[in-house]
Amino acid sequence: MSLEFLRELNGNNTGRFQFWLNEQKKEPRICWYPSAGEDIRDMLYLNHAYSKENPALECEPKSPDIFLHTDYFPHNSSSFLDTKTIFLDDRTSITVKSIEELPRCDLVLDNQIVDFPEGSKATGKVLFLEIEVRSSILGNYSVPLVYAFAENAAFCSSKILRNKGMISHIVHVRYGGGLGGGGQSTGAWLLNILEKVKCEVFITDNHLTGQRGDERAVKLFSALAIEAGNRKFEVIRTINSEAWSNHGDVTWNRIQ
């Protein structure tokens, strides 16, 4: 379940993340953004205020309670999280209110999946961050974020699926772009695990043609193999490419 999965990431820590977990009265709704890099748009677009201002075509599932980003961050040149302010323009500021280091997550970096198997000084770290958003359009709100600097497929197999984590939203935008999270994979294997994690909304730029890295991920991590099902997608929202990643229009797909 979601709490069990998140508690496994927290380990024996007794900090802000444990406090947040102890406050939960039900299973939290998790948004997972693999290959997130430095992108934080999911925390803007998957907010009830955004949904109210930009209503979906059909009934939209409830927004996430917590966000989970994964990316193995191969480049030491990144300045991400070096300062509290991670985004600022004339309408929106996004800052880190607090940061806590969780137990490490050192997972395989297979050279048939990633381009830089040596990783970086960030690779293997896991952080819990309390993010503050101040927006002239969406208002002011706080967002809990867990960032695991790990390869996506390995993380999904060894952490999410092994602990039976439930993921209400999955974001597949510029997978492998940014800081190189995907390498030789498009993330097409994500389609295989939607039912396993009880995903309700799959948000994608639709670059889902499999590559050899996707084949390797399924071969290396058997839990990522597809299971038969009657999954159907219903597009409930589309935003223009330039509004997110300049990598194609992004669609919200409600999974039926």
Side-chain angles (χ1 to χ4, degrees):
M1 305 297 279
S2 299
L3 271 175
E4 180 180 346
F5 158 60
L6 293 173
R7 289 190 189 281
E8 199 276 339
L9 294 180
N10 183 64
N12 295 321
N13 277 30
T14 58
R16 297 292 298 173
F17 190 32
Q18 185 189 56
F19 179 81
W20 185 90
L21 291 169
N22 290 342
E23 284 189 319
Q24 304 310 301
K25 306 301 182 185
K26 56 182 177 57
E27 294 293 330
R29 295 171 63 77
I30 302 172
C31 172
W32 177 36
Y33 189 174
S35 285
E38 299 180 10
D39 189 16
I40 41 74
R41 290 178 183 85
D42 55 330
M43 291 183 278
L44 299 175
Y45 293 141
L46 296 179
N47 176 270
H48 69 276
Y50 179 86
S51 296
K52 185 177 180 179
E53 290 292 324
N54 303 272
L57 297 174
E58 299 292 341
C59 181
E60 183 173 9
K62 185 181 176 183
S63 300
D65 298 310
I66 186 169
F67 291 79
L68 168 67
H69 288 187
T70 57
D71 194 308
Y72 76 105
F73 262 69
H75 302 305
N76 283 311
S77 58
S78 172
S79 60
F80 184 53
L81 299 180
D82 285 355
T83 62
K84 288 186 176 182
T85 300
I86 55 179
F87 181 82
L88 180 64
D89 66 12
D90 58 349
R91 296 182 300 178
T92 306
S93 70
I94 301 178
T95 57
V96 178
K97 292 199 300 183
S98 72
I99 187 167
E100 175 188 4
E101 192 159 347
L102 303 179
R104 289 186 61 85
C105 182
D106 292 299
L107 301 175
V108 62
L109 294 176
D110 188 87
N111 62 9
Q112 295 182 51
I113 298 176
V114 303
D115 288 332
F116 304 97
E118 65 277 9
S120 73
K121 62 183 180 182
T123 307
K125 291 185 177 182
V126 184
L127 304 175
F128 173 67
L129 304 104
E130 293 176 300
I131 305 295
E132 183 174 42
V133 178
R134 292 183 174 273
S135 168
S136 61
I137 298 174
L138 303 178
N140 304 334
Y141 57 92
S142 296
V143 180
L145 167 67
V146 174
Y147 206 125
F149 297 94
E151 193 278 312
N152 308 311
F155 184 88
C156 183
S157 177
S158 65
K159 297 298 181 181
I160 297 176
L161 296 180
R162 183 171 294 176
N163 291 285
K164 299 180 180 179
M166 293 189 299
I167 308 294
S168 63
H169 298 68
I170 294 179
V171 176
H172 170 270
V173 173
R174 198 177 279 276
Y175 189 102
L179 293 179
Q184 300 162 56
S185 165
T186 65
W189 58 267
L190 287 166
L191 296 172
N192 298 353
I193 59 98
L194 297 178
E195 292 175 62
K196 297 177 185 179
V197 300
K198 302 187 184 303
C199 184
E200 299 173 26
V201 181
F202 183 59
I203 300 165
T204 179
D205 58 14
N206 295 297
H207 290 272
L208 287 162
T209 302
Q211 295 181 343
R212 62 179 183 177
D214 299 286
E215 297 175 0
R216 175 62 174 172
V218 172
K219 182 177 181 180
L220 195 61
F221 310 111
S222 60
L224 305 184
I226 193 168
E227 290 185 358
N230 297 314
R231 180 191 66 225
K232 294 181 180 179
F233 286 172
E234 178 184 14
V235 176
I236 61 172
R237 180 184 290 110
T238 300
I239 63 173
N240 293 332
S241 176
E242 58 269 19
W244 197 316
S245 70
N246 291 309
H247 199 233
D249 292 350
V250 177
T251 60
W252 272 244
N253 299 275
R254 186 174 66 183
I255 301 174
Q256 300 175 319

